[in-house]
């Protein structure tokens, strides 16, 4: 039997599938609203809906999956490696949000949620190679052509860097549960960036720029979270007591 949350998720999925070219809709437009905005029903409204929507299609049972262009490729293709890694990153950000909510660092949550949506947009760009025959789809999945999102990340980084403790040694992933989760997200983000490198001729350069800058943001966000929660970060100490390069 479907739970209310599952039904709500399925309804959102159906709503997007029923829209022409739903995959290319910008997540940021869904957040801030326009004529293409998808209406999400409340849990009470969803309760009365029959749970008839299935999340499985069986189309991938033979080890292939489809790009937004309709082209089918093996699930071990570089495109799906990149899509899977950005999805993993978004999931880890969701876990970080769960640890941040209700804490002294919860003001970070809206920014992380925005980033999750932007990662969906990066995924749309990855799933639509720029040299595809369907240039209309390529145009609709263009990512950050004016560089706004990357510049915005840099502004967030500069803002949160103010007042951070200055360390001359390497900082170990630490600082509490939320901060440590953000450090894990940072390492996944670095891996996501590496998965984009083989696709650099098939995606917008702004996608790579955004993911590259995102790892810097997550490092600062982890440190900022530790500071907001008044948890001391741990630093690298060589086992033989030698100073680090930063200390020389």
């Amino acid at each position: 039997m479907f739970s209310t949350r599952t039904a709500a998720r399925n309804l959102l999925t159906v709503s997007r599938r029923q829209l022409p070219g739903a995959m290319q809709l910008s997540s940021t437009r869904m957040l801030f609203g326009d004529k293409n905005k998808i209406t999400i029903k409340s849990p009470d409204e969803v309760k009365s809906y029959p749970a008839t929507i299935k999340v499985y299609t069986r189309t991938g049972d033979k080890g292939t999956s489809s790009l937004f262009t309709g082209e089918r490729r093996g699930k071990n293709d570089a495109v799906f490696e990149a899509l899977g890694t950005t999805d993993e990153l978004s999931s880890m950000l969701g876990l970080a949000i769960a640890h941040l909510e209700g804490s002294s660092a919860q003001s970070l949550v809206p920014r992380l949620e925005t980033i999750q949506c932007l990662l969906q947009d990066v995924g749309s760009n990855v799933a639509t190679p720029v040299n595809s025959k369907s240039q209309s789809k390529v145009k609709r999945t263009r990512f950050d052509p004016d560089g706004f999102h990357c510049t915005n990340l840099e502004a967030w980084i500069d803002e949160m860097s103010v007042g951070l403790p200055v360390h001359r040694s390497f900082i170990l992933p630490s600082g509490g549960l939320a901060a440590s989760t953000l450090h894990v997200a940072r390492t996944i983000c670095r891996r996501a960036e590496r998965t984009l490198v083989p696709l650099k001729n098939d995606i917008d350069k702004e996608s790579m720029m955004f993911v590259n800058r995102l790892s810097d943001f997550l490092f600062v966000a982890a440190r900022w979270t530790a500071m907001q929660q008044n948890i001391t970060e741990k630093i690298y100490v060589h086992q033989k007591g030698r100073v680090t390069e930063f200390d020389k």
Side-chain angles (χ1 to χ4, degrees):
M1 186 172 183
F2 281 59
S3 66
T4 300
R5 182 176 297 179
T6 301
R9 183 172 63 248
N10 287 342
L11 180 62
L12 175 58
T13 301
V14 174
S15 299
R16 298 192 69 174
R17 286 177 178 171
Q18 289 175 342
L19 285 172
M23 183 175 180
Q24 78 276 5
L25 289 179
S26 168
S27 297
T28 50
R29 285 193 280 125
M30 289 171 60
L31 278 178
F32 300 111
D34 66 4
K35 64 182 180 181
N36 292 319
K37 183 176 66 175
I38 297 172
T39 301
I40 302 177
K41 301 295 184 180
S42 70
D44 288 337
E45 291 177 281
V46 172
K47 284 180 181 179
S48 62
Y49 289 12
T52 58
I53 306 304
K54 297 180 180 180
V55 298
Y56 56 87
T57 64
R58 298 193 178 101
T59 57
D61 289 351
K62 295 183 179 180
T64 64
S65 192
S66 177
L67 303 185
F68 180 45
T69 60
E71 177 189 355
R72 295 198 70 83
R73 297 187 185 183
K75 291 186 177 181
N76 59 348
D77 188 89
V79 167
F80 298 119
E81 183 66 29
L83 291 174
T85 309
T86 54
D87 183 32
E88 181 182 352
L89 171 57
S90 183
S91 298
M92 187 55 66
L93 291 178
L95 181 60
I97 289 171
H99 292 317
L100 286 165
E101 288 176 333
S103 77
S104 55
Q106 67 179 354
S107 61
L108 182 60
V109 169
R111 292 181 176 182
L112 295 182
E113 290 176 339
T114 296
I115 290 169
Q116 285 182 304
C117 291
L118 290 172
L119 286 172
Q120 290 292 112
D121 293 339
V122 170
S124 294
N125 183 241
V126 170
T128 315
V130 295
N131 295 319
S132 300
K133 292 181 179 179
S134 179
Q135 285 300 302
S136 61
K137 290 185 176 180
V138 171
K139 183 178 180 180
R140 290 198 297 268
T141 55
R142 184 84 166 85
F143 181 78
D144 198 21
D146 57 2
F148 170 79
H149 297 308
C150 191
T151 301
N152 198 40
L153 276 181
E154 292 173 351
W156 288 352
I157 291 170
D158 293 341
E159 176 189 325
M160 292 192 300
S161 295
V162 176
L164 286 180
V166 177
H167 290 299
R168 295 181 59 83
S169 298
F170 291 107
I171 297 171
L172 301 178
S174 57
L177 191 55
S180 296
T181 303
L182 287 167
H183 276 297
V184 176
R186 169 182 59 82
T187 63
I188 297 174
C189 188
R190 285 298 191 194
R191 176 154 49 87
E193 182 184 6
R194 293 194 294 273
T195 67
L196 294 179
V197 173
L199 304 171
K200 63 181 180 180
N201 295 325
D202 296 324
I203 64 176
D204 295 328
K205 67 181 187 300
E206 290 83 3
S207 288
M208 292 188 64
M209 291 171 58
F210 177 79
V211 176
N212 180 38
R213 205 70 78 253
L214 179 55
S215 61
D216 296 328
F217 167 81
L218 291 173
F219 175 73
V220 174
R223 298 205 61 211
W224 179 88
T225 296
M227 180 179 71
Q228 294 298 312
Q229 296 183 338
N230 198 29
I231 301 176
T232 302
E233 299 170 291
K234 297 179 181 179
I235 62 173
Y236 165 77
V237 177
H238 192 277
Q239 59 179 341
K240 293 185 179 180
R242 292 202 302 266
V243 296
T244 67
E245 290 297 317
F246 292 143
D247 293 321
K248 292 181 179 179

